[in-house]
mmCIF file with all atom_site columns, all heavy atoms in Angstrom:
data_model
loop_
_atom_site.group_PDB
_atom_site.id
_atom_site.type_symbol
_atom_site.label_atom_id
_atom_site.label_alt_id
_atom_site.label_comp_id
_atom_site.label_asym_id
_atom_site.label_entity_id
_atom_site.label_seq_id
_atom_site.pdbx_PDB_ins_code
_atom_site.Cartn_x
_atom_site.Cartn_y
_atom_site.Cartn_z
_atom_site.occupancy
_atom_site.B_iso_or_equiv
_atom_site.pdbx_formal_charge
_atom_site.auth_seq_id
_atom_site.auth_comp_id
_atom_site.auth_asym_id
_atom_site.auth_atom_id
_atom_site.pdbx_PDB_model_num
ATOM 1  N N   . PRO A 1 30  ? -35.057 -0.738 -12.410 1.00 0.00 ? 30  PRO A N   1
ATOM 2  C CA  . PRO A 1 30  ? -35.106 0.680  -12.779 1.00 0.00 ? 30  PRO A CA  1
ATOM 3  C C   . PRO A 1 30  ? -35.713 1.510  -11.649 1.00 0.00 ? 30  PRO A C   1
ATOM 4  O O   . PRO A 1 30  ? -36.337 0.981  -10.723 1.00 0.00 ? 30  PRO A O   1
ATOM 5  C CB  . PRO A 1 30  ? -36.018 0.703  -14.002 1.00 0.00 ? 30  PRO A CB  1
ATOM 6  C CG  . PRO A 1 30  ? -36.120 -0.695 -14.480 1.00 0.00 ? 30  PRO A CG  1
ATOM 7  C CD  . PRO A 1 30  ? -35.889 -1.568 -13.287 1.00 0.00 ? 30  PRO A CD  1
ATOM 8  N N   . ASN A 1 48  ? -36.131 11.503 -6.231  1.00 0.00 ? 48  ASN A N   1
ATOM 9  C CA  . ASN A 1 48  ? -36.687 12.818 -6.549  1.00 0.00 ? 48  ASN A CA  1
ATOM 10 C C   . ASN A 1 48  ? -37.523 12.762 -7.835  1.00 0.00 ? 48  ASN A C   1
ATOM 11 O O   . ASN A 1 48  ? -37.801 13.805 -8.432  1.00 0.00 ? 48  ASN A O   1
ATOM 12 C CB  . ASN A 1 48  ? -35.569 13.838 -6.725  1.00 0.00 ? 48  ASN A CB  1
ATOM 13 C CG  . ASN A 1 48  ? -34.716 13.961 -5.485  1.00 0.00 ? 48  ASN A CG  1
ATOM 14 O OD1 . ASN A 1 48  ? -35.232 14.074 -4.380  1.00 0.00 ? 48  ASN A OD1 1
ATOM 15 N ND2 . ASN A 1 48  ? -33.414 13.931 -5.650  1.00 0.00 ? 48  ASN A ND2 1
ATOM 16 N N   . PRO A 1 86  ? -32.202 19.725 -31.021 1.00 0.00 ? 86  PRO A N   1
ATOM 17 C CA  . PRO A 1 86  ? -32.956 19.614 -29.760 1.00 0.00 ? 86  PRO A CA  1
ATOM 18 C C   . PRO A 1 86  ? -32.428 20.534 -28.647 1.00 0.00 ? 86  PRO A C   1
ATOM 19 O O   . PRO A 1 86  ? -33.214 20.940 -27.775 1.00 0.00 ? 86  PRO A O   1
ATOM 20 C CB  . PRO A 1 86  ? -32.773 18.136 -29.357 1.00 0.00 ? 86  PRO A CB  1
ATOM 21 C CG  . PRO A 1 86  ? -32.362 17.441 -30.601 1.00 0.00 ? 86  PRO A CG  1
ATOM 22 C CD  . PRO A 1 86  ? -31.601 18.436 -31.422 1.00 0.00 ? 86  PRO A CD  1
ATOM 23 N N   . ALA A 1 102 ? -34.843 34.215 -22.319 1.00 0.00 ? 102 ALA A N   1
ATOM 24 C CA  . ALA A 1 102 ? -33.893 33.218 -22.811 1.00 0.00 ? 102 ALA A CA  1
ATOM 25 C C   . ALA A 1 102 ? -33.641 32.148 -21.765 1.00 0.00 ? 102 ALA A C   1
ATOM 26 O O   . ALA A 1 102 ? -34.025 32.288 -20.596 1.00 0.00 ? 102 ALA A O   1
ATOM 27 C CB  . ALA A 1 102 ? -32.580 33.920 -23.183 1.00 0.00 ? 102 ALA A CB  1
ATOM 28 N N   . ILE A 1 128 ? -24.895 36.806 -1.397  1.00 0.00 ? 128 ILE A N   1
ATOM 29 C CA  . ILE A 1 128 ? -25.459 36.543 -0.068  1.00 0.00 ? 128 ILE A CA  1
ATOM 30 C C   . ILE A 1 128 ? -26.304 35.275 -0.176  1.00 0.00 ? 128 ILE A C   1
ATOM 31 O O   . ILE A 1 128 ? -27.271 35.235 -0.942  1.00 0.00 ? 128 ILE A O   1
ATOM 32 C CB  . ILE A 1 128 ? -26.314 37.741 0.383   1.00 0.00 ? 128 ILE A CB  1
ATOM 33 C CG1 . ILE A 1 128 ? -25.487 39.038 0.306   1.00 0.00 ? 128 ILE A CG1 1
ATOM 34 C CG2 . ILE A 1 128 ? -26.845 37.525 1.785   1.00 0.00 ? 128 ILE A CG2 1
ATOM 35 C CD1 . ILE A 1 128 ? -26.295 40.309 0.577   1.00 0.00 ? 128 ILE A CD1 1
ATOM 36 N N   . ASP A 1 157 ? -34.181 39.195 8.629   1.00 0.00 ? 157 ASP A N   1
ATOM 37 C CA  . ASP A 1 157 ? -33.484 40.312 9.282   1.00 0.00 ? 157 ASP A CA  1
ATOM 38 C C   . ASP A 1 157 ? -32.000 40.298 8.920   1.00 0.00 ? 157 ASP A C   1
ATOM 39 O O   . ASP A 1 157 ? -31.409 41.325 8.620   1.00 0.00 ? 157 ASP A O   1
ATOM 40 C CB  . ASP A 1 157 ? -33.638 40.245 10.813  1.00 0.00 ? 157 ASP A CB  1
ATOM 41 C CG  . ASP A 1 157 ? -35.070 40.568 11.231  1.00 0.00 ? 157 ASP A CG  1
ATOM 42 O OD1 . ASP A 1 157 ? -35.771 41.224 10.425  1.00 0.00 ? 157 ASP A OD1 1
ATOM 43 O OD2 . ASP A 1 157 ? -35.479 40.154 12.322  1.00 0.00 ? 157 ASP A OD2 1
ATOM 44 N N   . ALA A 1 219 ? -48.662 27.121 -11.575 1.00 0.00 ? 219 ALA A N   1
ATOM 45 C CA  . ALA A 1 219 ? -49.498 26.665 -12.694 1.00 0.00 ? 219 ALA A CA  1
ATOM 46 C C   . ALA A 1 219 ? -48.636 25.866 -13.664 1.00 0.00 ? 219 ALA A C   1
ATOM 47 O O   . ALA A 1 219 ? -47.551 26.294 -14.039 1.00 0.00 ? 219 ALA A O   1
ATOM 48 C CB  . ALA A 1 219 ? -50.099 27.874 -13.401 1.00 0.00 ? 219 ALA A CB  1
ATOM 49 N N   . ALA A 1 324 ? -38.503 15.989 6.097   1.00 0.00 ? 324 ALA A N   1
ATOM 50 C CA  . ALA A 1 324 ? -37.336 15.581 6.858   1.00 0.00 ? 324 ALA A CA  1
ATOM 51 C C   . ALA A 1 324 ? -37.765 15.229 8.274   1.00 0.00 ? 324 ALA A C   1
ATOM 52 O O   . ALA A 1 324 ? -38.367 16.045 8.965   1.00 0.00 ? 324 ALA A O   1
ATOM 53 C CB  . ALA A 1 324 ? -36.316 16.715 6.895   1.00 0.00 ? 324 ALA A CB  1
ATOM 54 N N   . VAL A 1 393 ? -39.071 12.900 19.324  1.00 0.00 ? 393 VAL A N   1
ATOM 55 C CA  . VAL A 1 393 ? -39.409 13.529 18.045  1.00 0.00 ? 393 VAL A CA  1
ATOM 56 C C   . VAL A 1 393 ? -40.902 13.453 17.792  1.00 0.00 ? 393 VAL A C   1
ATOM 57 O O   . VAL A 1 393 ? -41.433 14.098 16.909  1.00 0.00 ? 393 VAL A O   1
ATOM 58 C CB  . VAL A 1 393 ? -38.637 12.826 16.895  1.00 0.00 ? 393 VAL A CB  1
ATOM 59 C CG1 . VAL A 1 393 ? -38.892 13.495 15.554  1.00 0.00 ? 393 VAL A CG1 1
ATOM 60 C CG2 . VAL A 1 393 ? -37.160 12.813 17.195  1.00 0.00 ? 393 VAL A CG2 1
ATOM 61 N N   . LYS A 1 396 ? -46.127 15.479 18.724  1.00 0.00 ? 396 LYS A N   1
ATOM 62 C CA  . LYS A 1 396 ? -47.362 15.825 18.018  1.00 0.00 ? 396 LYS A CA  1
ATOM 63 C C   . LYS A 1 396 ? -48.019 14.577 17.451  1.00 0.00 ? 396 LYS A C   1
ATOM 64 O O   . LYS A 1 396 ? -49.212 14.396 17.545  1.00 0.00 ? 396 LYS A O   1
ATOM 65 C CB  . LYS A 1 396 ? -47.036 16.769 16.862  1.00 0.00 ? 396 LYS A CB  1
ATOM 66 C CG  . LYS A 1 396 ? -47.166 18.230 17.211  1.00 0.00 ? 396 LYS A CG  1
ATOM 67 C CD  . LYS A 1 396 ? -46.670 18.954 16.037  1.00 0.00 ? 396 LYS A CD  1
ATOM 68 C CE  . LYS A 1 396 ? -47.243 20.256 15.702  1.00 0.00 ? 396 LYS A CE  1
ATOM 69 N NZ  . LYS A 1 396 ? -46.556 20.723 14.476  1.00 0.00 ? 396 LYS A NZ  1
#
Side-chain angles (χ1 to χ4, degrees):
N48 301 313
I128 306 173
D157 289 338
V393 183
K396 266 174 148 181

